[in-house]
Amino acid sequence: MLHSSLVDSPLLKVSRPVSACSRCRSAKVKCDNKLPACTACERAGREKDCTAANDQFARGKERSYVAALELRIEKLERRLTYARSTKASVALHGPEDHQTADPGRKDSLAFIRAAIHRKAARTQENADINTLVSDFGYLAVNTTTRDFEPSESNMTFARLVLAASTNEPVPEPESGNLPPEATARSLVEFYETSVLPLYPAFPGTTLHALVSDLYQERPRQIRSSEYWLFWMVLAISSVGQSRNRQDEHYQNGVEFVARALPHADRALRPGYGTQVQSLLLLTQYSMLDPAHFDSWHPIGFACRAVVDQGLHQDPPNSQQISPDALDERRRIFYCVYALDRAISMTHARAFSFYDAAASVALPSPAPASGAVAAGAMTKPSQDASVPLFRLRQLQSDWYQALYQGNPAEPLPDATSFIWQKYFEMWEWSERLPPDLPSTIRELLDLELRYSYVYCIASSARGAQVPAYGRLLIFDHVISYIDRIYEIASSSANSAFYTYHDALRVFFMGSQFVAVLRDIGDILLSGSNIPVPPQTPGKVSAPPRPVRLDRSSGDNLDRSLRCLERVKLTLGLYGNRWDHALALRNSFEMISSEVWTNLSTRRSMRDGAVGARW
């Protein structure tokens, strides 16, 4: 996981009201825009004359206000582009510190200068973002407000989302034609088997019906939200199959996104049911193409839209709604919830909303649907979304307690709390449906091991990790890295693996290095680390996981192999994402001392064995 600049996680502030009511404006007094009447009008007994309660802009100022915003956006975009071009890639343990400072001299003048420069840059970025966001006024506060009709001169919600989310501009599309129908159906099928089982924000039948309509000789009138759905699904599926940022899959994906962007104004406009699904598609693509989009912003906008539309609460019993419609509503909420939790944890940031603010029951499993291709029905994809949603709930519970609580108030019994959460996640894994596809089950198993390590690792509110906890981290990291290395080395993606998996690999490798630094001598000597004795009334420590790499040697060989595979995996991911190469370089720096010590130890061991022979 990476540290993020304030550009990537701004402190959003609600600005002063955009306009005063007509009475306060004529009297030139401060108006607080209180509803249903402002305080000044209320005190004067003129509540009925308070005319601006529902006005979005002061009369006569709409065009000038928007023009001023657009000019300011243009200036700030240039400044942010320059800041991003000069900003070094950062990681959870501060890789930029290693890149700018001499590792042997933490107090060097170069290190001090670099720290001062970074602090000044972050301060300036913070001021820029806060000023920009505050100037959007009401538009940034309520995502259910209907936009103006899109034009070249006004600011829409979609343009705000794209301005905040875009890292590099997407090139203009090269073609205006639809891809061959066989290509479109193949990409839709990939999405249906790899992404839709995890995030069923819309039925698979909707995709196939849309493709059929688009490729008719005389297609019906297609809405902008449908074009957005079509092109974004093709983009996600194409980039999802890419193995190199120069290959045809990636180039096609960028082309498909370029074809989708002209439909963004209407697809993302607030107050419409397709808004959240459209934001989810943008988030999914952003997770695969961090060069062009930052996933943190679109998922934040999606969460705000969910809350503003009331999807974070189940409808009251008095409201008549069909079971299918209720399940669809719940699935949309949990798709946003699951992605928000995953992205926030990966970047070590706060969730967009607390669990206590939401009250939505888990949906029923989505109906399986097979893709129709060449007159044959492909095998239906088993829905894995409900198990994933449940895991996200378990992760959210301990993450909020360990990482989002007040650091000045440690948990009363952090160790027992962690063992309890560990047991709940293990219990979840034991209840997984037996008929899940092997690729989806493998992805969920990796997510489970990542969660084990994340939960046990040190936190601001947790207790010091005991030796047995570090042993569990040691075992789970090795199993995780062995499997993710094989997946990264594969010739094709088997499931929805994204740039965030590179961040997870760096995190797991960093935790592995920390364990070797703390108890490396105990682990490598073969000394036994017993399971902590159970305290009456407390949750017992979990058993050590079954070792899967029996043929890989002792703990010394396993450690060197794991460290090597972390670097190899990040190198493979670097073929797809430039940021992964920065992660690999940073990991090489933080692990260099441990690697040297382990290599020396192995040379001495092998030399002693050779001398005996």
Side-chain angles (χ1 to χ4, degrees):
M1 291 180 294
L2 299 178
H3 283 310
S4 172
S5 72
L6 291 171
V7 170
D8 295 323
S9 53
L11 301 173
L12 301 182
K13 296 181 179 179
V14 179
S15 72
R16 59 187 181 279
V18 172
S19 66
C21 71
S22 58
R23 184 176 176 277
C24 291
R25 197 159 55 245
S26 61
K28 296 184 178 179
V29 297
K30 184 176 181 180
C31 180
D32 58 6
N33 272 55
K34 179 182 174 183
L35 298 176
C38 71
T39 302
C41 291
E42 189 176 27
R43 289 176 178 173
R46 304 290 294 274
E47 293 90 344
K48 295 182 179 180
D49 296 332
C50 190
T51 59
N54 296 320
D55 291 344
Q56 187 168 359
F57 299 116
R59 293 187 182 91
K61 296 185 179 180
E62 296 92 342
R63 299 300 98 195
S64 61
Y65 178 72
V66 172
L69 284 182
E70 290 173 343
L71 179 61
R72 185 161 190 81
I73 290 171
E74 184 179 354
K75 292 180 179 179
L76 289 178
E77 281 181 339
R78 288 199 297 266
R79 295 174 67 179
L80 292 177
T81 300
Y82 173 77
R84 286 192 176 102
S85 67
T86 57
K87 182 177 62 178
S89 298
V90 294
L92 179 64
H93 298 285
E96 75 273 20
D97 292 353
H98 299 281
Q99 295 170 357
T100 58
D102 180 0
R105 292 192 60 200
K106 293 293 183 181
D107 58 343
S108 66
L109 182 59
F111 178 80
I112 296 173
R113 286 175 175 170
I116 293 174
H117 176 72
R118 286 193 303 274
K119 183 176 180 180
R122 289 167 182 160
T123 301
Q124 183 60 50
E125 290 172 357
N126 186 23
D128 289 344
I129 287 294
N130 285 337
T131 302
L132 174 60
V133 173
S134 66
D135 280 343
F136 282 114
Y138 189 76
L139 180 61
V141 175
N142 192 340
T143 59
T144 61
T145 302
R146 298 294 175 96
D147 283 334
F148 301 114
E149 282 298 307
S151 71
E152 294 295 330
S153 60
N154 67 17
M155 172 55 64
T156 64
F157 178 78
R159 294 173 195 180
L160 169 61
V161 173
L162 294 174
S165 306
T166 300
N167 289 330
E168 293 181 4
V170 176
E172 292 294 322
E174 298 179 358
S175 171
N177 301 322
L178 292 172
E181 183 176 358
T183 300
R185 290 197 179 277
S186 175
L187 293 173
V188 166
E189 183 179 346
F190 177 86
Y191 188 90
E192 190 178 25
T193 57
S194 301
V195 185
L196 209 57
L198 299 170
Y199 303 102
F202 45 83
T205 52
T206 300
L207 278 174
H208 296 292
L210 177 57
V211 173
S212 298
D213 290 341
L214 281 166
Y215 286 92
Q216 287 181 357
E217 186 176 348
R218 299 180 64 182
R220 64 174 174 82
Q221 185 68 29
I222 307 297
R223 300 189 301 272
S224 286
S225 59
E226 293 176 309
Y227 275 121
W228 176 270
L229 171 63
F230 173 75
W231 290 117
M232 290 302 294
V233 165
L234 297 193
I236 293 166
S237 297
S238 189
V239 176
Q241 298 179 67
S242 170
R243 310 303 295 175
N244 189 295
R245 56 185 172 275
Q246 302 298 330
D247 65 18
E248 185 179 5
H249 286 299
Y250 180 75
Q251 301 299 328
N252 288 341
V254 174
E255 171 72 13
F256 294 147
V257 166
R259 298 292 304 278
L261 289 179
H263 303 283
D265 278 330
R266 295 189 181 277
L268 302 181
R269 57 183 174 174
Y272 292 86
T274 56
Q275 181 197 18
V276 178
Q277 292 97 321
S278 299
L279 286 167
L280 279 169
L281 290 168
L282 179 60
T283 301
Q284 291 172 356
Y285 181 81
S286 301
M287 295 167 67
L288 292 163
D289 188 7
H292 288 106
F293 295 100
D294 179 3
S295 60
W296 173 253
H297 294 289
I299 193 58
F301 283 112
C303 289
R304 187 55 191 266
V306 160
V307 173
D308 286 341
Q309 294 182 24
L311 299 179
H312 66 304
Q313 299 286 333
D314 270 341
N317 294 331
S318 59
Q319 182 177 340
Q320 298 296 325
I321 183 171
S322 69
D324 290 342
L326 181 59
D327 270 333
E328 181 179 1
R329 173 191 174 108
R330 288 169 172 170
R331 277 193 287 270
I332 291 173
F333 166 77
Y334 274 108
C335 286
V336 175
Y337 176 91
L339 284 173
D340 176 66
R341 268 44 186 170
I343 293 172
S344 298
M345 288 175 58
T346 302
H347 290 279
R349 299 172 181 168
F351 296 148
S352 297
F353 55 88
Y354 284 96
D355 287 349
S359 178
V360 181
L362 288 171
S364 303
S369 62
V372 179
M377 194 78 166
T378 64
K379 184 179 180 181
S381 298
Q382 179 66 35
D383 177 53
S385 61
V386 176
L388 177 64
F389 298 158
R390 179 56 187 150
L391 177 60
R392 293 288 184 243
Q393 288 180 325
L394 296 174
Q395 292 172 331
S396 184
D397 186 26
W398 56 256
Y399 186 84
Q400 287 178 120
L402 293 173
Y403 293 91
Q404 291 189 232
N406 186 357
E409 299 177 4
L411 292 175
D413 191 354
T415 301
S416 293
F417 174 84
I418 289 172
W419 294 152
Q420 175 65 35
K421 298 308 171 185
Y422 188 107
F423 173 76
E424 290 174 0
M425 291 188 289
W426 172 84
E427 194 174 38
W428 166 86
S429 68
E430 292 296 303
R431 295 177 178 176
L432 285 174
D435 55 347
L436 284 177
S438 58
T439 55
I440 298 295
R441 179 176 287 277
E442 184 177 59
L443 183 147
L444 293 177
D445 180 68
L446 288 173
E447 190 73 40
L448 178 67
R449 293 185 183 276
Y450 167 74
S451 301
Y452 282 153
V453 173
Y454 207 148
C455 185
I456 298 173
S458 299
S459 69
R461 303 190 68 213
Q464 184 69 21
V465 182
Y468 184 73
R470 299 183 193 278
L471 176 63
L472 294 177
I473 292 176
F474 179 84
D475 287 335
H476 285 305
V477 170
I478 290 178
S479 296
Y480 180 95
I481 295 300
D482 282 345
R483 190 66 199 112
I484 199 69
Y485 169 72
E486 294 175 3
I487 292 170
S489 303
S490 174
S491 59
N493 276 356
S494 55
F496 188 54
Y497 293 98
T498 71
Y499 168 65
H500 290 170
D501 289 287
L503 299 178
R504 291 189 179 99
V505 169
F506 178 83
F507 169 77
M508 298 289 273
S510 300
Q511 294 300 322
F512 192 73
V513 170
V515 167
L516 291 176
R517 284 174 175 167
D518 292 335
I519 61 167
D521 289 339
I522 299 176
L523 288 171
L524 300 179
S525 66
S527 302
N528 181 44
I529 301 178
V531 180
Q534 182 175 4
T535 303
K538 303 286 186 177
V539 180
S540 60
R544 188 176 179 183
V546 177
R547 179 176 170 179
L548 303 177
D549 57 341
R550 294 289 182 184
S551 61
S552 59
D554 58 14
N555 282 349
L556 176 57
D557 293 324
R558 295 172 73 202
S559 299
L560 285 167
R561 182 166 172 261
C562 181
L563 292 173
E564 179 66 20
R565 287 194 163 186
V566 171
K567 292 183 283 188
L568 290 173
T569 303
L570 291 175
L572 290 169
Y573 281 142
N575 294 328
R576 300 176 66 187
W577 305 296
D578 285 333
H579 294 76
L581 294 178
L583 292 175
R584 184 193 63 182
N585 294 337
S586 177
F587 181 77
E588 288 177 343
M589 291 180 184
I590 66 175
S591 63
S592 60
E593 182 181 354
V594 172
W595 175 266
T596 301
N597 292 339
L598 294 181
S599 299
T600 302
R601 187 187 290 257
R602 183 168 64 178
S603 297
M604 294 174 62
R605 182 199 64 185
D606 295 344
V609 171
R612 285 198 297 269
W613 286 95

